[in-house]
Amino acid sequence: MIQAVVELSHQIQAFLDNLIPLIVALLGDLLAAFLPSWAVTLILMVLGIVTLSTIVLVGFMYTTLAERKVVGRIQDRLGPNRVGPFGLLQPIADMIKMFTKEDITPRGADRLTFNLAPVVVAAAALLIFAAIPVGRGLIGADLSVGLLYILAVSSVSVIGILMAGWGSRNKYALLGAMRAGAQLVSYEIPMVLAAIGPLLLAGTMSMNGIVEAQGVVWFILLQPLGFLIFFIAGVSEANRTPFDLPEAESEIVAGYHVEYSGMKFGLFQMAEFISTIGISAIAATLFLGGWQGPLLPGYVWFTAKTVLLVFVFLWLRGTLPRLRVDQLMGFAWKALVPLALLNILITGLTMVVHPIWAVLVGSLVALVLAGTTIHLYAEAVRRRTRPRFA
Amino acid sequence: MEDWLYVGLYALIAVILATVPLLVAWILRPKKPGRVKQSTYECGLETIGDAWIQFRVQYYVFALIFVIFDLEVVFLFPWAVAYRQLGLFALVEMFIFIGLLVVGLLYAWRKGALEWV
């Protein structure tokens, strides 16, 4: 009896998993009837890309609403609830506002750089999703160097931010852009070093391969320290609180996008939220098992894990105060980089001893060591409360 | 090869998706520029001095260390992928390499290069 139920649930899961590839195959057959094969491939690719991007964009719109709702609840408010039921039409109202706002270009600005910057930032944020496996057998491009590609693309947006900061010819914008540069330079290293852990365990750089390697146990159990470092660095990479120094409202007004208005400002917002979703998706793929999970189809699991991590982002925004610049840099270089190196060492050593059990024990040791280090570091910082200016 | 074609197409479509809203907004939005409106924003005050100055990039040393560690990662990636086949010897070898870089990092730390000044 139980066996029959398990068998049935497996079949339902497989059916739901195969649904989208099936539709794509059917569409391909239909098109192949009156088009050459290269055109069919091209059309299917474009359709896939547009669908994926649309889902991401809708995700972005509702992340803005979710952020206002979650932060509202944390601050004992209701958040937007006037436009549509539960404020569900709020993102659409916001979109209409963005489209119809006047767009001001400051007189002194470098027009080309100023206008190109939002496009660069937004496009770079979208590109992450080209190589992320969103479901069983559902991946845009299963590149053999997928992880390398994603890490490379996720740091391109800082070029757009620097363009915005310089092109605006505004002091706040310049300061914000320079801070963004400092942040990327510091947090890229711990992020990439933390990604080495799953890479060691999976033995492949293909994103699909990394997910398949997590069939038995999710890498967050074997790499808890790696996950923490990756996530902290990811929050910094997406310029979210407590690492939102490039756009600190209370000191440099809005940082690099202070001179932007209308849809260009909207594109910067879009880029920020899409990279939030992107970082969550990467972390879910590398550490939380991506689309792996029982009963439900892969894309549901993947979406659920990503949404969970996005919620953590919003939670952090509502809970933590912003760091100071010197604390930010010090934390990256003095705490995260050594810990990430330690994580690689422990993972490598325990993998030589025995695949799973040793790695589990090693991961716990790493976590304890990390907790001690961060505690000691925080104590040292607290003792020296005043920043050291030369 | 087909995968990289997909990435290329994706890049193209991403740029289009980012440009189309700008074009639509260009059609829809009001256009009433003015002298005051287009002046540089500085909390309502008259702007003093230019923003296009020789900026002292305080994190220059950090950027140098970043380059070193980023190159290290380029070596670490293929090492990590092939680690299962290479075994203990590769681990020792890689840790001599990382160790050298860590000594460099510690030196920079002791010298005060990791302080934000």
Side-chain angles (χ1 to χ4, degrees):
Chain A
M1 181 61 201
I2 293 167
Q3 208 171 9
V5 171
V6 169
E7 188 61 32
L8 187 70
S9 73
H10 274 300
Q11 269 172 3
I12 292 173
Q13 189 189 17
F15 170 73
L16 289 174
D17 265 329
N18 288 330
L19 205 58
I20 294 172
L22 196 73
I23 293 171
V24 172
L26 278 177
L27 203 63
D29 286 346
L30 197 69
L31 287 172
F34 41 92
L35 279 175
S37 67
W38 61 268
V40 175
T41 323
L42 211 63
I43 289 174
L44 286 182
M45 270 187 188
V46 171
L47 274 179
I49 294 168
V50 171
T51 318
L52 183 60
S53 309
T54 314
I55 293 170
V56 172
L57 288 177
V58 172
F60 143 67
M61 287 168 73
Y62 281 92
T63 315
T64 60
L65 178 68
E67 168 161 44
R68 292 165 71 182
K69 281 274 185 193
V70 170
V71 173
R73 288 287 172 179
I74 289 173
Q75 295 166 353
D76 211 4
R77 297 181 285 117
L78 287 175
N81 63 352
R82 294 287 147 175
V83 193
F86 308 106
L88 278 176
L89 297 179
Q90 184 70 41
I92 293 165
D94 285 341
M95 199 174 75
I96 294 170
K97 188 189 78 178
M98 289 290 182
F99 273 121
T100 53
K101 277 264 180 183
E102 185 177 358
D103 185 285
I104 300 162
T105 309
R107 230 176 303 119
D110 180 340
R111 296 188 77 91
L112 181 68
T113 326
F114 184 80
N115 291 326
L116 210 55
V119 178
V120 172
V121 177
L126 270 173
L127 263 178
I128 294 175
F129 291 92
I132 285 184
V134 292
R136 196 184 295 273
L138 281 179
I139 180 167
D142 191 12
L143 304 171
S144 55
V145 289
L147 184 58
L148 201 59
Y149 163 82
I150 282 176
L151 290 171
V153 165
S154 69
S155 50
V156 168
S157 60
V158 76
I159 294 170
I161 291 176
L162 282 170
M163 283 166 72
W166 184 254
S168 304
R169 205 168 190 171
N170 179 307
K171 286 159 204 152
Y172 300 122
L174 184 67
L175 278 174
M178 285 302 167
R179 284 183 180 186
Q183 219 164 293
L184 177 97
V185 156
S186 302
Y187 281 85
E188 183 74 4
I189 297 297
M191 185 167 180
V192 178
L193 288 179
I196 301 265
L199 207 55
L200 273 171
L201 292 167
T204 169
M205 265 191 259
S206 132
M207 292 303 266
N208 225 357
I210 292 174
V211 174
E212 267 157 21
Q214 297 178 69
V216 186
V217 54
W218 296 355
F219 285 163
I220 188 172
L221 287 174
L222 306 177
Q223 291 284 318
L225 178 58
F227 173 73
L228 274 180
I229 294 171
F230 189 89
F231 197 74
I232 293 172
V235 175
S236 173
E237 190 99 347
N239 292 335
R240 302 275 313 177
T241 333
F243 302 108
D244 63 341
L245 288 108
E247 45 190 285
E249 308 94 320
S250 43
E251 29 180 322
I252 51 171
V253 202
Y256 56 87
H257 55 58
V258 59
E259 289 286 8
Y260 285 89
S261 49
M263 200 60 218
K264 285 179 200 152
F265 172 74
L267 283 184
F268 276 110
Q269 284 297 96
M270 181 175 121
E272 185 184 321
F273 280 99
I274 289 182
S275 52
T276 304
I277 302 173
I279 296 289
S280 306
I282 301 169
T285 309
L286 290 184
F287 295 99
L288 297 184
W291 43 257
Q292 299 271 13
L295 294 175
L296 294 168
Y299 40 88
V300 174
W301 274 110
F302 175 76
T303 315
K305 287 166 188 172
T306 309
V307 168
L308 178 77
L309 288 179
V310 169
F311 173 73
V312 178
F313 266 93
L314 306 182
W315 189 4
L316 288 177
R317 156 96 202 266
T319 318
L320 292 178
R322 187 179 305 129
L323 288 176
R324 221 167 47 204
V325 185
D326 58 322
Q327 292 170 341
L328 174 97
M329 304 293 275
F331 185 57
W333 287 105
K334 295 174 185 169
L336 291 186
V337 169
L339 283 177
L341 289 173
L342 180 82
N343 188 44
I344 297 176
L345 174 69
I346 290 182
T347 312
L349 268 180
T350 47
M351 272 179 68
V352 171
V353 181
H354 193 276
I356 290 273
W357 287 110
V359 182
L360 262 176
V361 174
S363 71
L364 286 177
V365 173
L367 207 57
V368 171
L369 279 174
T372 327
T373 316
I374 289 178
H375 176 72
L376 288 175
Y377 180 75
E379 282 294 305
V381 171
R382 220 172 280 144
R383 241 176 279 131
R384 183 163 57 81
T385 43
R386 271 149 53 91
R388 276 167 43 177
F389 293 111
Chain B
M1 196 55 220
E2 208 170 76
D3 282 342
W4 288 106
L5 178 70
Y6 181 90
V7 173
L9 262 179
Y10 203 111
L12 197 69
I13 291 177
V15 171
I16 293 172
L17 275 178
T19 325
V20 166
L22 286 181
L23 289 179
V24 176
W26 185 71
I27 296 165
L28 290 178
R29 75 191 180 214
K31 298 173 192 76
K32 290 179 199 133
R35 249 195 83 74
V36 179
K37 216 186 261 178
Q38 285 182 300
S39 59
T40 303
Y41 174 78
E42 208 162 294
C43 299
L45 299 171
E46 287 279 325
T47 323
I48 299 168
D50 200 346
W52 286 353
I53 48 166
Q54 283 196 319
F55 193 81
R56 182 169 158 260
V57 182
Q58 293 179 310
Y59 51 88
Y60 179 69
V61 181
F62 286 96
L64 284 180
I65 307 174
F66 165 75
V67 171
I68 296 166
F69 271 87
D70 225 26
L71 280 178
E72 177 197 349
V73 167
V74 173
F75 292 116
L76 271 175
F77 263 65
W79 169 79
V81 170
Y83 181 67
R84 274 170 201 276
Q85 289 94 312
L86 298 175
L88 191 62
F89 177 67
L91 184 76
V92 173
E93 211 169 31
M94 187 44 83
F95 271 89
I96 293 169
F97 175 56
I98 292 180
L100 289 174
L101 288 169
V102 167
V103 169
L105 183 68
L106 287 175
Y107 177 73
W109 194 335
R110 290 286 300 173
K111 276 281 174 184
L114 299 187
E115 298 299 324
W116 182 265
V117 287

